[in-house]
Amino acid sequence: METKLQFIGGEWVPSLSKETREIINPFNQEVIAFAAEGNERDAKEAIKAAREAFDQGDWSNTSASDRGEIVMNIANLIKRDREELARLESLDTGKTVEESRGDMDDIAGVFRYFAEIADKDGGELIDSPLPNSTSKVVREPVGVCGQITPWNYPLLQASWKLAPALAAGNTLVMKPSEITPLTTVKVFELMDEAGVPKGVANLVLGAGATVGAELSSNTDVDLISFTGGIETGKNIMKAASVNVKKLALELGGKNPNVIFADADFETAVDQALNGVFFHAGQICSAGTRIIVEDKIHDQFVDALVKRVSNIRLGSGFDENTQMGPLISKEHLNKVIDYVENGKKEGATVAVGGKQPEDPELQDGFFYLPTVLTDCTTDMSVVQNEGFGPVITIEKFSSEEEAIQLANDSIYGLAGGVWTSDIAKAERCVAKMRMGTVWINDFNLYFPHAPWGGFKQSGIGRELGKPGLDEYQETKHIFHNLKPEPMNWF
């Protein structure tokens, strides 16, 4: 069976230790590949290659339009290899192949977007206080970027980091999740084919405790971009302080989906399902915290439970499957404990709340789609990110209470409001402390719109023009065209 290698300095290399890791299909626990298991030494080699490539200046001094052309080449190659990438993503993560195909289309779109805006900011002239002078503001690449991506959307999250970093003229070292590296390895092959110069983009495979820690603390790294959990994010912040790295952190969310009684009922129910159960709820923006107006609470719960109980579990390659497994045994156990703690705190299991009994699913890491009712904001299942196919239901009786409940969280990544009253919707979203708020929709994102959170959901933004700004430094250049002595001293 093939061993996936690391890409350092333009060469495909094994780990220096020669160690490897098994990559498991979460549907049946079969080994689908082996991957090099890098550590701190591999990370240092990759950082050295990225540092040398940046300091030589060939890539950062390449015209923005030429860089954009290479990034566009990557987009086109992803489109060309869509089916292979989707198959790898579903093998690696367990999600349905139709979801993975959609991911690949979105990923190609991300590269295309940043390719198109790479040369759109030529700087700006600003007023100078002195005659016979010019004053301008330009943007330059940050330098060497460390990028750490999660296991839930391996290539999508990688694209949000790779595309703007390359478009801006940076060099980089990426560490994908050690359990889902396959599509990232494939895209580095495509990046090489697309013409990314040697040393500009480097890939190290291995654990966060070794490779990720080195990227965070190494003083030759100028920026660290991380998507993952809060506690790891805090550790990265501490490590990055050694040389005051720029930080871009997306640390998840416990996202409220507020349903008013005047909402389009059937659509709100349907989108509540879509907001949670894609990829078995393993989505940072999943609307797992549903807050329903008391007038329709019972009706909404009944309709939701009926739909949830019919969700079909299975292999991501079965066209009848609507939801695949969780990513690992370890994560399955976390979801089990999460629901059990909720029950102890007084939540009621309306549907699900256990592993499926279907014999065909016993080898996979499956958990039944679950709805918990009688939930209050003091419960751990309401406050903590479960990252699984679990919905909690709260109720409210007034607009003010709905907003108060929605904001009662350490997170602030995303949220939704469902109502037919436009004025009410605008009042609510103005007061909801989240980076993205949808009105009569949920979980929609696209490359043009910035993505990131308030509060402990993170720092900085990905996607949109702000996503490119994260990978640039702002420089002011003042030129005195007729310098004269001051004769002060």
Side-chain angles (χ1 to χ4, degrees):
M1 187 176 292
E2 181 184 5
T3 297
K4 302 299 181 180
L5 301 179
Q6 307 177 116
F7 192 66
I8 299 175
E11 303 294 334
W12 290 99
V13 296
S15 64
L16 291 171
S17 68
K18 308 302 181 185
E19 292 182 3
T20 61
R21 175 189 293 267
E22 292 181 343
I23 307 301
I24 305 296
N25 181 347
F27 170 69
N28 54 18
Q29 302 187 54
E30 289 184 358
V31 177
I32 54 177
F34 292 94
E37 181 72 1
N39 58 30
E40 300 96 329
R41 292 192 297 150
D42 301 88
K44 287 177 180 177
E45 288 297 311
I47 293 167
K48 180 182 177 182
R51 183 81 265 167
E52 290 176 353
F54 185 80
D55 291 345
Q56 288 170 1
D58 293 344
W59 179 245
S60 58
N61 291 330
T62 298
S63 71
S65 60
D66 286 347
R67 292 199 304 267
E69 184 176 340
I70 290 176
V71 175
M72 184 64 78
N73 290 344
I74 300 169
N76 293 334
L77 291 171
I78 290 169
K79 182 178 179 180
R80 181 196 72 186
D81 292 353
R82 175 179 185 257
E83 283 301 312
E84 180 184 356
L85 286 163
R87 183 185 66 82
L88 287 173
E89 197 81 316
S90 290
L91 278 173
D92 219 356
T93 65
K95 69 172 66 176
T96 68
V97 73
E98 195 59 32
E99 289 179 76
S100 293
R101 289 187 183 113
D103 289 348
M104 297 312 130
D105 294 338
D106 291 343
I107 291 160
V110 169
F111 278 97
R112 187 176 302 110
Y113 170 76
F114 284 106
E116 290 171 347
I117 69 168
D119 63 352
K120 297 301 185 287
D121 185 357
E124 61 176 323
L125 291 174
I126 59 176
D127 288 339
S128 169
L130 299 180
N132 300 311
S133 65
T134 63
S135 182
K136 62 181 178 180
V137 177
V138 298
R139 302 188 72 83
E140 299 179 355
V142 170
V144 176
C145 303
Q147 302 180 324
I148 304 173
T149 57
W151 48 256
N152 60 328
Y153 281 84
L155 192 52
L156 184 68
Q157 292 294 324
S159 73
W160 290 15
K161 303 179 192 302
L162 291 169
L166 292 172
N170 297 279
T171 62
L172 62 95
V173 179
M174 173 163 282
K175 189 208 88 67
S177 168
E178 59 270 30
I179 60 176
T180 56
L182 299 185
T183 49
T184 306
V185 172
K186 175 62 180 176
V187 156
F188 268 73
E189 294 175 4
L190 299 184
M191 287 162 57
D192 190 30
E193 181 181 349
V196 176
K198 289 185 177 182
V200 169
N202 303 273
L203 175 68
V204 181
L205 308 178
T210 54
V211 178
E214 183 63 33
L215 289 174
S216 302
S217 62
N218 192 296
T219 56
D220 276 335
V221 176
D222 303 301
L223 174 150
I224 195 83
S225 177
F226 168 76
T227 300
I230 286 179
E231 292 308 313
T232 302
K234 290 177 180 178
N235 290 334
I236 287 172
M237 291 179 74
K238 292 175 184 177
S241 67
V242 66
N243 65 325
V244 197
K245 289 178 178 64
K246 288 191 71 174
L247 288 170
L249 306 175
E250 199 263 71
L251 305 178
K254 181 66 176 177
N255 310 291
N257 191 6
V258 179
I259 318 292
F260 283 94
D262 61 358
D264 179 330
F265 184 86
E266 294 300 329
T267 302
V269 170
D270 183 76
Q271 291 290 349
L273 298 168
N274 295 337
V276 176
F277 295 117
F278 280 116
H279 198 17
Q282 300 167 120
I283 308 172
C284 57
S285 59
T288 54
R289 191 178 168 209
I290 295 180
I291 304 172
V292 188
E293 190 165 1
D294 52 8
K295 297 174 185 176
I296 61 167
H297 173 272
D298 292 352
Q299 179 188 3
F300 191 92
V301 170
D302 289 345
L304 193 68
V305 167
K306 183 178 180 180
R307 293 279 298 274
V308 168
S309 64
N310 291 324
I311 293 175
R312 297 186 298 274
L313 279 58
S315 166
F317 295 94
D318 183 340
E319 64 180 14
N320 294 315
T321 295
Q322 294 175 308
M323 192 183 92
L326 296 169
I327 193 65
S328 66
K329 180 66 173 177
E330 178 185 14
H331 190 59
L332 171 62
N333 289 336
K334 287 181 180 179
V335 173
I336 292 171
D337 290 344
Y338 177 81
V339 173
E340 291 304 310
N341 287 334
K343 290 161 61 177
K344 291 175 183 177
E345 292 173 329
T348 300
V349 177
V351 66
K354 60 183 180 179
Q355 294 176 258
E357 298 176 357
D358 186 340
E360 295 185 2
L361 303 178
Q362 297 311 300
D363 290 335
F365 307 124
F366 285 93
Y367 194 81
L368 288 174
T370 297
V371 176
L372 300 177
T373 59
D374 303 316
C375 295
T376 55
T377 55
D378 58 341
M379 293 179 177
S380 62
V381 286
V382 172
Q383 290 297 325
N384 298 334
E385 185 180 36
F387 226 60
V390 182
I391 288 174
T392 62
I393 306 285
E394 301 163 76
K395 67 172 71 172
F396 68 91
S397 58
S398 68
E399 182 179 322
E400 292 73 19
E401 185 183 9
I403 295 167
Q404 186 274 323
L405 290 172
N407 286 330
D408 187 1
S409 173
I410 64 171
Y411 293 101
L413 184 60
V417 175
W418 290 84
T419 176
S420 59
D421 185 330
I422 296 175
K424 182 195 296 183
E426 294 294 342
R427 287 194 303 269
C428 287
V429 300
K431 295 177 181 178
M432 292 171 70
R433 299 289 296 164
M434 294 130 208
T436 294
V437 184
W438 297 282
I439 298 174
N440 296 333
D441 211 316
F442 210 94
N443 257 345
L444 179 70
Y445 67 90
F446 43 94
H448 305 71
W451 181 263
F454 289 14
K455 299 188 276 188
Q456 292 189 46
S457 282
I459 298 170
R461 292 295 181 269
E462 295 184 296
L463 300 181
K465 181 59 168 61
L468 184 64
D469 293 344
E470 292 289 341
Y471 289 93
Q472 296 177 316
E473 295 279 18
T474 301
K475 176 183 284 186
H476 172 232
I477 301 173
F478 179 84
H479 186 182
N480 190 335
L481 299 172
K482 290 188 176 182
E484 298 176 354
M486 290 183 67
N487 294 319
W488 183 281
F489 298 103

